[in-house]
């Protein structure tokens, strides 16, 4: 049996526990915490527990195929690595390790504007992708444009515009830990990259936010005018916004509460998913992230209409424990877990996962 970095930590609980020992406390606080009282962070996990699976039997599951298509591109599993900032803080291999692992697993990965490695370094590490670029709008559109053009030149095949951060959420535990997003944390994409503001400033009777908070739906036309890449909106939780994204001809949306890190009290991503997928899922691709840990979670999210399911914190735990190799191992064990769960539910292909696979626990 070959040694793998995750050996000895075979369960996800172990992975989280060991990761906690490997990363500095301040980084751990950054990764793990959510906004405010962490109601939305907890809600993401709790939402999965309100659904159970309805297995079908005697379905000849000698061959189980996880392959699916995301925006037309074939991937080996309907999963994606969610965009997460500052990955070299977690492990020296950082985003490049994650990118290589996802490329090897033929799984989509999305990289943040606030990556520790530059988007070009990430692209060189995993040239064949598939890779998407997450954009935080910059105070000046010219700066956003530069990032978009660089991403396009480096072979990123879609733009993921994060729309739930006009300002960062209030992350009490993170601030207490001493590591939080601000301009003092170096990013790989250049000193000119401005992170979202941590708080509004009080100016007389109103609270003022930086220029990126001025964005409205018109920004989508601006993005279209500078890039031919498909645009995905990340951070949609309402039917109204989902419909509007469809009217603006977005290629996809990520139903997400930003890992519970933005608006405390916002709906769990999974709770928002079914109605949105039902309404706009035939017009654009609907993805979801938040609280996904295991194959059963993936099945529930797919059954409720997600085209692909994002992984956040577990990727960082695996990175902390084993670098890129750890992420590779995690993705392969999750895929194996998913193939097992499909066999046990009598599904041979991703296309056979439908609403009848789940029931709401009364
Ligand atoms: C970045 O997007 C974060 O949530 O910390």
């Amino acid at each position: 049996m070959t040694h793998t970095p995750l050996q000895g930590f075979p369960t996800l609980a172990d992975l989280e526990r060991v990761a906690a020992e490997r990363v500095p406390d301040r980084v751990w606080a950054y990764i793990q915490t959510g906004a405010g009282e962490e109601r939305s962070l907890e809600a993401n996990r709790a939402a999965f527990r309100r659904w159970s699976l309805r297995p079908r039997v005697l379905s000849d599951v000698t061959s189980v195929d996880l392959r699916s298509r995301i925006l037309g591109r074939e991937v080996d599993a309907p999963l994606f690595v969610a965009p997460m900032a500052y990955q070299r803080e977690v492990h020296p291999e950082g985003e490049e390790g994650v990118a290589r692992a996802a490329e090897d697993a033929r799984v989509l990965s999305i990289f943040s504007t606030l990556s520790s490695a530059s988007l070009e370094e990430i692209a060189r590490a995993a040239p064949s992708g598939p890779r998407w670029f997450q954009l935080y709008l910059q105070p000046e559109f010219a700066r956003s444009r530069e990032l978009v053009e660089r991403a396009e030149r480096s072979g990123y095949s879609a733009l993921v515009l994060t729309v739930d951060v006009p300002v960062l959420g209030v992350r009490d535990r993170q601030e207490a830990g001493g590591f939080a997003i601000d301009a003092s944390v170096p990013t790989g994409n250049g000193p000119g990259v401005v992170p979202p503001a941590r708080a509004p400033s009080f100016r007389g009777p109103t609270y003022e936010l930086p220029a990126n908070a001025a964005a409205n739906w018109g920004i989508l036309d601006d993005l279209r005018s500078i890039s031919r890449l498909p645009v995905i909106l990340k951070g949609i939780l309402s039917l109204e916004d989902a419909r509007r994204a469809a009217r603006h001809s977005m290629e996809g949306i990520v139903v997400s509460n930003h890992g519970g890190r933005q608006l405390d009290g916002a709906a769990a991503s999974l709770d928002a998913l079914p109605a949105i997928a039902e309404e706009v899922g035939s017009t654009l691709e609907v993805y979801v992230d938040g609280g996904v840990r295991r194959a059963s979670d993936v099945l529930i999210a797919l059954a409720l209409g997600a085209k692909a399911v994002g992984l956040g914190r577990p990727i960082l735990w695996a990175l902390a424990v084993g670098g890129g190799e750890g992420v590779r191992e995690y993705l392969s064990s999750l895929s194996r877990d998913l193939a097992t769960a499909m066999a046990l539910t009598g599904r041979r292909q991703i296309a056979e996962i439908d609403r009848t696979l789940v029931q709401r626990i009364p």
Side-chain angles (χ1 to χ4, degrees):
M1 197 160 144
T2 55
H3 176 81
T4 60
L6 301 192
Q7 238 170 42
F9 325 121
T11 74
L12 208 54
D14 289 333
L15 192 61
E16 185 173 3
R17 179 179 52 74
V18 177
E21 292 160 8
R22 299 277 169 96
V23 295
D25 289 348
R26 60 189 191 93
V27 176
W28 190 245
Y30 174 71
I31 294 173
Q32 294 295 97
T33 56
E37 292 174 12
E38 305 190 334
R39 285 165 57 194
S40 299
L41 177 69
E42 285 158 23
N44 275 350
R45 288 295 302 136
F48 284 98
R49 298 197 190 95
R50 288 194 290 273
W51 293 92
S52 61
L53 295 164
R54 297 177 63 246
R56 299 298 305 273
V57 299
L58 296 175
S59 313
D60 181 359
V61 286
T62 45
S63 169
V64 173
D65 188 350
L66 306 185
R67 282 174 301 175
S68 47
R69 289 190 173 273
I70 303 181
L71 290 188
R73 169 131 181 199
E74 190 184 276
V75 285
D76 276 6
L79 306 171
F80 63 92
V81 175
M84 291 170 287
Y86 312 132
Q87 293 176 17
R88 283 186 191 161
E89 301 287 336
V90 176
H91 188 281
E93 288 177 36
E95 289 84 3
E96 290 154 292
V98 171
R100 272 191 287 267
E103 182 182 54
D104 285 355
R106 289 218 325 146
V107 160
L108 169 68
S109 52
I110 310 179
F111 291 97
S112 167
T113 292
L114 304 178
S115 291
S116 342
S118 71
L119 63 90
E120 290 84 2
E121 287 170 315
I122 300 167
R124 278 196 294 276
S128 68
R131 251 179 301 105
W132 294 356
F133 178 69
Q134 177 272 338
L135 178 66
Y136 274 129
L137 283 175
Q138 298 295 295
E140 292 163 43
F141 189 69
R143 292 289 190 174
S144 300
R145 177 182 190 145
E146 280 168 28
L147 285 167
V148 166
E149 287 172 353
R150 284 171 57 189
E152 198 160 352
R153 272 199 302 277
S154 297
Y156 290 75
S157 52
L159 301 173
V160 179
L161 179 68
T162 295
V163 289
D164 58 5
V165 187
V167 63
L168 285 164
V170 178
R171 302 166 179 186
D172 302 357
R173 278 214 289 153
Q174 210 178 86
E175 307 251 344
F179 182 96
I181 292 184
D182 70 29
S184 68
V185 188
T187 61
N189 283 325
V193 171
V194 178
R198 283 251 286 280
S201 22
F202 183 64
R203 298 254 164 73
T206 60
Y207 290 84
E208 306 289 326
L209 295 170
N212 58 313
N216 57 34
W217 291 83
I219 193 71
L220 303 178
D221 298 331
D222 298 341
L223 278 181
R224 293 286 194 205
S225 74
I226 59 163
S227 173
R228 300 222 305 267
L229 293 179
V231 181
I232 318 299
L233 300 188
K234 175 171 175 288
I236 300 287
L237 288 172
S238 73
L239 210 44
E240 296 91 319
D241 284 342
R243 285 190 195 118
R244 204 149 179 195
R247 281 206 301 280
H248 276 78
S249 307
M250 295 294 96
E251 278 79 3
I253 56 177
V254 186
V255 175
S256 172
N257 69 12
H258 208 115
R261 299 160 77 81
Q262 279 299 101
L263 175 65
D264 194 25
S269 307
L270 191 77
D271 286 339
L273 173 68
I276 290 177
E278 166 107 21
E279 173 104 3
V280 300
S282 56
T283 316
L284 45 70
E285 295 198 351
V286 178
Y287 318 113
V288 71
D289 69 15
V292 177
R293 299 287 177 267
R294 320 210 36 126
S296 47
D297 304 329
V298 175
L299 284 186
I300 292 167
L302 295 175
L304 293 176
K307 179 87 179 156
V309 178
L311 301 155
R313 292 179 178 91
I315 297 288
L316 297 181
W317 302 336
L319 181 67
V321 171
E325 192 52 39
V327 177
R328 191 173 288 114
E329 181 68 13
Y330 170 70
L331 287 173
S332 88
S333 85
L334 180 63
S335 297
R336 245 186 339 265
D337 191 19
L338 185 54
T340 304
M342 284 183 54
L344 294 175
T345 52
R347 275 22 184 221
R348 286 163 299 203
Q349 296 185 339
I350 297 298
E352 292 173 2
I353 298 172
D354 63 7
R355 191 67 173 68
T356 66
L357 180 58
V358 290
Q359 65 195 351
R360 185 115 180 149
I361 295 171

